[in-house]
């Protein structure tokens, strides 16, 4: 399941998340659409996530992820097929929303919830395996950029849609819901008897379980959601605008810029491996706080770069921070609030997190249109991410709710 989830994340990252900036750069040149207008498509995707998040959480907690992921892959691939046929900005927005719906149904959220149900002792490691696919997707950005340059954006989008459907549907069939429904147990360990809970070696201790309502009443829920949103200010702005900034502000071609994204990918892979190694050993909120400082420093290096080494340093630092922090975001919520209502809890969190996803690309794009470059927008977002490190620092575990 972790491997299949990683492959599904690879498809989504390689063909959309980390390649979207290449489409933005090409469409801005060929169609003459403004950076603000193109950023609006990314914002619409995040708005859709915020709207569907609570509903998806409710559906996941009751019906499981497999059918949802299968439908998501069909819709996601269909969004790329639609993109290959569009001739207007409205059509571009429609394809972006369709892809966003597909990723919401078959992407990070439902896959994470499924894995959380199966792992507790090595939860960060399992989520890191899945996140490895998200990280490795950046390796394909130069290939996508090459296809855009040699075959055009229509053919590239059409081919992406076919690949997603052809590979995504078989992979989605491996996803399973709760282990007890499959005759198995969390971590493969027997439950500890109530009278000796935690006293018997090789058994699994009962954990605190929060309802969604109880989680909403804790300070930790809001600090984690806001901190995650502040992180995505930088992540989404980089995904949408970094290639354009390197092309227009730093003088690189789209293909050259894509190679810096590949360096970012190697950094992200290193961060994911680090998360798998230390994520279950150290205080996750403190690791996340350090990662926020990494996001800030990396983006400032990109913003004011005067040498390729500075751009490479941005890519490595931002990538490591992203890779290390990513798996911790959902793992720490499961540690704090338990598994029983994790779908709804993550869904409610996504409403707040989406604000960062919306604001990041929009702030960068609007200030770039107003000032003629990305310096002011990127600086604002970098400083906001640095301040966001305090949110994770103060996100201490909540007091216990009813114990299952």
């Amino acid at each position: 399941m972790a491997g299949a989830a990683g492959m599904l994340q690879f498809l989504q990252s390689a063909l959309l998340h980390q390649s979207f900036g290449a489409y933005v750069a090409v469409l801005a040149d060929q169609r003459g659409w403004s950076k603000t207008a193109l950023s609006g498509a990314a914002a619409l995707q995040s708005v859709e996530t915020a709207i569907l998040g609570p509903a998806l959480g409710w559906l996941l907690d009751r019906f499981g992820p497999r059918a949802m992921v299968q439908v998501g892959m069909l819709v996601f691939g269909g969004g790329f097929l639609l993109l290959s046929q569009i001739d207007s900005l409205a059509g571009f927005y429609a394809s972006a929303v369709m892809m966003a719906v597909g990723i919401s149904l078959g992407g990070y959220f439902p896959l994470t919830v499924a894995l959380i149900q199966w792992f507790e002792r090595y939860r960060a490691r399992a989520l890191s395996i899945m996140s490895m696919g998200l990280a490795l997707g950046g390796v394909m950005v130069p290939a996508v950029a090459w296809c855009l340059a040699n075959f055009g954006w229509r053919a590239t989008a059409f081919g992406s849609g076919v690949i997603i459907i052809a590979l995504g549907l078989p992979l989605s069939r491996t996803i399973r819901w709760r282990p007890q429904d499959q005759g198995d147990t969390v971590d493969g360990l027997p439950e500890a008897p109530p009278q000796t809970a935690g006293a018997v070696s090789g058994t699994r201790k009962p954990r605190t379980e929060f309802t969604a309502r109880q989680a909403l009443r804790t300070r930790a829920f809001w600090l984690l959601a806001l901190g995650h949103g502040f992180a995505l200010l930088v992540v989404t702005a980089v995904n949408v605008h970094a290639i354009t900034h390197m092309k227009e502000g730093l003088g690189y071609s789209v293909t050259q810029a894509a190679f810096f994204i590949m360096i970012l990918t190697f950094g992200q892979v290193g961060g994911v491996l680090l998360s798998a190694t230390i994520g279950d050993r150290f205080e996750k909120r403190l690791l996340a706080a350090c990662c926020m400082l990494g996001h800030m420093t990396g983006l400032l290096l990109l913003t004011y770069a005067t040498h390729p080494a500075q751009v490479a340093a941005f890519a490595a630092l931002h990538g490591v921070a992203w890779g290390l922090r990513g798996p911790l975001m959902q793992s720490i919520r499961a540690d704090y609030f338990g598994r029983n209502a994790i779908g709804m809890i993550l869904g409610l969190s996504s409403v707040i997190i989406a604000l960062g996803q919306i604001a990041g690309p929009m702030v960068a794009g609007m200030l770039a249109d107003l000032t003629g470059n990305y310096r002011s927008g990127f600086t604002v977002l970098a400083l906001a991410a640095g301040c966001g490190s305090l949110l994770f620092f103060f996100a201490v575990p909540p007091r216990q709710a009813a114990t299952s």
Side-chain angles (χ1 to χ4, degrees):
M1 279 180 57
M7 286 299 298
L8 289 167
Q9 287 287 276
F10 175 81
L11 289 174
Q12 295 163 23
S13 174
L15 300 177
L16 180 64
H17 293 315
Q18 302 205 50
S19 295
F20 189 73
Y23 282 96
V24 168
V26 171
L27 289 170
D29 275 347
Q30 295 188 9
R31 310 295 295 189
W33 295 333
S34 72
K35 297 177 181 65
T36 303
L38 290 167
S39 300
L44 277 178
Q45 293 178 351
S46 300
V47 169
E48 175 275 331
T49 299
I51 293 172
L52 288 184
L56 291 177
W58 183 86
L59 290 171
L60 276 169
D61 283 337
R62 283 154 180 78
F63 302 110
R66 182 198 274 187
M68 187 179 296
V69 173
Q70 289 177 315
V71 172
M73 288 299 100
L74 285 172
V75 176
F76 180 39
F80 267 105
L81 297 180
L82 176 61
L83 176 61
S84 71
Q85 306 300 315
I86 61 103
D87 286 305
S88 66
L89 188 60
F92 179 65
Y93 279 18
S95 66
V97 170
M98 189 171 178
M99 286 186 278
V101 171
I103 284 181
S104 291
L105 293 173
Y108 188 80
F109 181 16
L111 296 173
T112 297
V113 173
L115 287 180
I116 283 173
Q117 299 296 330
W118 285 82
F119 293 96
E120 184 172 295
R121 298 175 95 185
Y122 299 107
R123 182 175 289 143
R125 185 174 299 179
L127 293 175
S128 295
I129 292 172
M130 184 187 77
S131 295
M132 186 64 72
L134 184 68
L136 288 173
V139 174
M140 296 301 296
V141 175
V144 173
W146 184 85
C147 290
L148 289 169
N150 288 274
F151 301 116
W153 59 271
R154 292 186 185 276
T156 302
F158 186 86
S160 297
V162 172
I163 290 171
I164 289 164
I165 294 172
L167 297 181
L169 286 179
L171 287 169
S172 64
R173 292 185 59 82
T174 67
I175 304 301
R176 298 287 188 272
W177 194 211
R178 296 184 175 97
Q180 56 267 33
D181 298 337
Q182 315 297 322
D184 211 330
T185 60
V186 176
D187 293 322
L189 296 175
E191 299 284 353
Q195 67 274 17
T196 59
V200 180
S201 177
T203 61
R204 190 175 56 82
K205 298 179 181 179
R207 298 297 300 267
T208 298
E209 295 289 347
F210 284 72
T211 66
R213 187 184 299 274
Q214 289 170 330
L216 283 170
R217 289 199 288 262
T218 67
R219 185 176 68 169
F221 173 90
W222 297 98
L223 290 176
L224 291 173
L226 289 170
H228 197 171
F230 272 53
L232 293 186
L233 285 172
V234 173
V235 170
T236 54
V238 166
N239 287 349
V240 175
H241 294 293
I243 290 178
T244 304
H245 170 62
M246 285 185 256
K247 176 177 175 290
E248 297 181 358
L250 304 182
Y252 299 103
S253 69
V254 172
T255 303
Q256 289 171 328
F259 277 100
F260 286 112
I261 301 300
M262 189 167 65
I263 294 174
L264 188 157
T265 296
F266 290 131
Q268 191 178 359
V269 169
V272 170
L273 292 173
L274 187 60
S275 183
T277 303
I278 69 175
D280 292 306
R281 298 181 182 180
F282 296 96
E283 188 72 40
K284 296 180 177 69
R285 64 183 179 87
L286 299 181
L287 293 175
C290 292
C291 290
M292 295 294 286
L293 298 178
H295 284 310
M296 177 188 71
T297 305
L299 186 55
L300 289 174
L301 282 169
L302 174 66
T303 303
Y304 297 101
T306 57
H307 191 276
Q310 291 171 297
V311 185
F314 141 75
L317 188 56
H318 175 70
V320 170
W322 187 7
L324 174 56
R325 179 191 52 75
L328 302 179
M329 295 296 92
Q330 315 306 1
S331 181
I332 192 173
R333 290 185 177 97
D335 289 348
Y336 281 14
F337 305 118
R339 295 186 308 275
N340 289 353
I342 192 63
M344 180 59 74
I345 290 169
L346 295 184
L348 293 170
S349 298
S350 70
V351 177
I352 303 165
I353 295 165
L355 297 177
Q357 293 176 296
I358 294 167
M362 292 301 295
V363 168
M366 290 174 66
L367 289 178
D369 285 334
L370 289 172
T371 64
N373 61 65
Y374 283 102
R375 285 195 169 188
S376 57
F378 279 180
T379 300
V380 169
L381 297 176
L383 295 177
C387 294
S389 65
L390 294 174
L391 296 169
F392 285 115
F393 182 82
F394 290 111
V396 297
R399 293 181 178 179
Q400 289 191 348
T403 304
S404 60

